[in-house]
Every structure is written in C-alpha cells, then in structure tokens.
Amino acid sequence: MLEEVERWLIERSWSVSDRPLHRILAAKRASGQTVSVVLPALNEEATVGDIVSVVRHDLVLQVPLVDEVVVIDSGSTDRTSEVAAAAGARVVHRDVILPRIPAVPGKGEVLWRSLLVTRGDIVCFVDADLRDFSSDFVTGIVGPLLTEPGLQLVKAMYDRPMTLADGSTTGAAAGQGGRVTELMARPLLNMHWPQLAGFVQPLGGEYAARRSLLEQLPFPVGYGVELGMLVDALHLVGLDALAQVDVGVRKHRHQDGQALGRMAAAIYRTAQLRLARAHLLRPSLTQFERTGDAFEPRTYSVDTEERPPMRDVAEYQARRVA
C-alpha cells in the first residue's frame, strides 16, 4: 500500500461515533448548509418505506439534520412509490425529470437526474433495499462534510454479510458479501488507481457529496456509477478531499451470480474508459443458462453511455439562475 494511502487511512477513515449528533447539528447551523437524502428505487416496496420512516423520524422530526427525503422511482411495477410516499418521502418518477433526454435503465441514470429535483448543498445517496436500516448511515457520511470544510465526498464502509436462504446472516456466509467488489473493483483500483486502495466499500451505494462536486462529474448510467464517481472525484479534487466512515453492518438483498456478472462487466467498462477513453470492441456480455440438457446463451448489452456533468445541462443552468 502506498504511504499516502496509509496516511489517508489514519486521517480520513472514521467511525460514526467520532462525530456526535450535537456536533453535526451545530456545524449545520453554523454553515447554513442544507442536506438532501436521495433513494434510487426499483421495485423496493418491501424496504423503502422503513428506510424513509427512519430518516424522517430520526433526522427530520426529532432533529433538523435532513431538509428533504426524495425517492426517485426508476420504473417500479410494484407499490414502491405508494409506500415511499406514505412514509413521508417526496416521490419523483425518473421519466418526468428532464424529459427532453429520454431515460435509459440504470442506477446511475437515476442518481444523475436526482440532481435536478433536489436542492441540498449536500446530497446523500442511500440504496432502497437495505434491511434493519439505521440513521447512522446518514449521519455517518453527512457529518464529516458538515464538520470538515475540505472534504468533498464521503463513503460508508461496513460489514456486508451474505444472507442465507433462511434469512440469517450467520455461519459460513457471514463475511462473503461484496463479491463484485472483491473480484472486480478492488483489483482494478489497486492496479490502476492505487490511491483508492484504502476504500473498504468502493462500490457501496451509501455516500454523500457536495453538490458542487456532483454537478461537475459525468455519471455512468448503470452499475459503473460508483466506481466512475470515485475515480473522477480523485482526479478532480484529490485523495484528501475523500473520506470513509464505518457505520456498522449493511444488510440487503443479494443478487444471483449472473446479475453480478453483468454488474462486473459494466464496472470493467467504466474503468476501461477512464484508463484510455477508448471504445469497447464488443459492448456486450454473453452468459449461459441450462435449459434441459443444453446450455443456452443469453447476451446482454453492457452500459456504454454516460451522462455529462449536470452543470453543462441547460435546464440545470436555468434552475440555478432562477
């Protein structure tokens, strides 16, 4: 590990307990900054309501840390929107944001569009499939941005147990979450961007950043958004403007191996473009499924599109003037 990273791990890696809530609130009052919590959601009716309820109860009603809770529905076919709204979130459908540019499927697409319908000086992203959610996830990553003016982006780090078939997270699978991180993202970062080797959860969906940074970044439309954002932020603001906070344990729905393969392909593509800004020879991934006595190929396209920095979008510029 680089000496610079060893120093960074000491100076820019914290625990949620390092910043008591009263200190964070005092910093917010002194700075006058506002905070938006954004949940990108696709068919998450089972979990999104609990997350919204916890954030609103703990950080809106009990203490005035969060100024708005927004759920961006990216095309759910279940009751995600209804459940989120009933819990107190403002729900916005992906397709009504910036309709001039047709939306494409993908998490990064939703995060990018969320900048147009939120106002916070600090934007905190939280995945909508978390179980046993704690508001520590929000205070942990928002706190450093309010108390440390030099920071630009803070990611959550956590234990990520594998959920077993019976719903438990104990036993042999307890430490096996984050398979794409260990098999794809971490090797890529260590080999090509060793300054980022200290991030425990580089692909984690819980992170907060200053709007002034987010509006300067391109957004890969799909699963590559977290890696792309981390790499681009490093080049734009430097390692010392990035940090991570231990928020405990993250429990969520795990995807099957083939879905993880598609995720890994998108992440590799994101890394490749940032290494050489080259074109993929074949932006697709073929996987195999057994049907009867044979293996049947299934080919999926790999996300090859990125959205430009939001500050370059005319509608966003017009909103800032207004």
Side-chain angles (χ1 to χ4, degrees), residues 35-39 122-126 137-138 141-142 207-209:
V35 177
S36 300
V37 172
V38 174
L39 283 76
I122 294 170
V123 182
C124 173
F125 297 118
V126 176
F137 273 73
V138 175
I141 55 181
V142 168
Y207 48 98

Side-chain angles (χ1 to χ4, degrees), residues 110-148:
V110 175
L111 300 184
W112 181 72
R113 289 175 186 264
S114 75
L115 297 181
L116 261 169
V117 294
T118 55
R119 292 283 182 176
D121 301 304
I122 294 170
V123 182
C124 173
F125 297 118
V126 176
D127 281 350
D129 66 341
L130 304 189
R131 296 185 295 107
D132 300 334
F133 179 78
S134 166
S135 57
D136 284 350
F137 273 73
V138 175
T139 57
I141 55 181
V142 168
L145 292 168
L146 290 169
T147 60
E148 308 287 338

Side-chain angles (χ1 to χ4, degrees), residues 3-322:
E3 289 186 10
E4 179 183 7
V5 177
E6 292 181 347
R7 175 189 57 78
W8 179 86
L9 280 169
I10 296 172
E11 297 178 355
R12 291 290 186 268
S13 295
W14 298 294
S15 168
V16 67
S17 61
D18 290 335
R19 287 173 179 80
L21 187 55
H22 68 82
R23 179 185 169 195
I24 298 172
L25 288 170
K28 183 178 190 290
R29 286 192 295 268
S31 68
Q33 296 180 90
T34 53
V35 177
S36 300
V37 172
V38 174
L39 283 76
L42 176 63
N43 295 330
E44 303 294 355
E45 67 175 356
T47 51
V48 68
D50 288 341
I51 299 171
V52 171
S53 294
V54 169
V55 174
R56 279 188 49 78
H57 176 269
D58 293 359
L59 305 178
V60 177
L61 302 176
Q62 282 202 334
V63 299
L65 179 65
V66 171
D67 297 278
E68 60 178 350
V69 182
V70 182
V71 170
I72 311 294
D73 190 331
S74 59
S76 297
T77 56
D78 65 1
R79 298 181 61 253
T80 290
S81 290
E82 294 87 341
V83 171
R90 176 161 62 93
V91 179
V92 185
H93 195 283
R94 172 200 64 196
D95 295 344
V96 305
I97 307 171
L98 199 60
R100 174 176 62 84
I101 301 175
V104 298
K107 179 182 179 182
E109 177 83 353
V110 175
L111 300 184
W112 181 72
R113 289 175 186 264
S114 75
L115 297 181
L116 261 169
V117 294
T118 55
R119 292 283 182 176
D121 301 304
I122 294 170
V123 182
C124 173
F125 297 118
V126 176
D127 281 350
D129 66 341
L130 304 189
R131 296 185 295 107
D132 300 334
F133 179 78
S134 166
S135 57
D136 284 350
F137 273 73
V138 175
T139 57
I141 55 181
V142 168
L145 292 168
L146 290 169
T147 60
E148 308 287 338
L151 288 180
Q152 294 288 324
L153 185 150
V154 181
K155 289 192 72 83
M157 58 177 168
Y158 33 70
D159 292 321
R160 198 172 170 192
M162 175 73 77
T163 304
L164 302 177
D166 62 2
S168 70
T169 56
T170 58
Q176 295 177 14
R179 291 161 288 173
V180 176
T181 293
E182 301 303 330
L183 297 175
M184 176 60 72
R186 202 177 307 285
L188 282 172
L189 292 175
N190 275 263
M191 289 187 289
H192 299 297
W193 297 281
Q195 286 178 294
L196 298 175
F199 277 93
V200 175
Q201 296 291 353
L203 300 184
E206 289 69 49
Y207 48 98
R210 300 193 190 280
R211 176 176 295 272
S212 56
L213 170 65
L214 293 173
E215 65 186 13
Q216 297 182 67
L217 299 177
F219 276 60
V221 299
Y223 287 124
V225 63
E226 273 84 25
L227 183 134
M229 189 178 295
L230 203 56
V231 170
D232 292 341
L234 172 68
H235 289 301
L236 192 62
V237 297
L239 182 60
D240 283 341
L242 313 179
Q244 61 184 351
V245 175
D246 186 352
V247 297
V249 178
R250 182 185 197 266
K251 299 178 183 179
H252 70 123
R253 183 186 67 252
H254 289 276
Q255 302 196 54
D256 62 36
Q258 293 209 331
L260 296 178
R262 297 190 289 275
M263 185 184 299
I267 289 165
Y268 177 75
R269 165 260 171 193
T270 300
Q272 183 198 45
L273 290 182
R274 277 152 181 78
L275 284 168
R277 294 296 170 183
H279 295 288
L280 288 175
L281 296 178
R282 184 175 179 270
S284 58
L285 173 71
T286 299
Q287 298 176 316
F288 295 88
E289 297 179 8
R290 180 179 287 279
T291 57
D293 296 329
F295 286 99
E296 184 174 344
R298 305 253 194 247
T299 300
Y300 302 87
S301 62
V302 175
D303 297 319
T304 58
E305 189 170 359
E306 294 195 3
R307 295 306 190 190
M310 185 57 80
R311 68 178 182 182
D312 296 338
V313 176
E315 287 87 342
Y316 191 77
Q317 295 171 1
R319 192 190 77 163
R320 294 181 67 179
V321 171

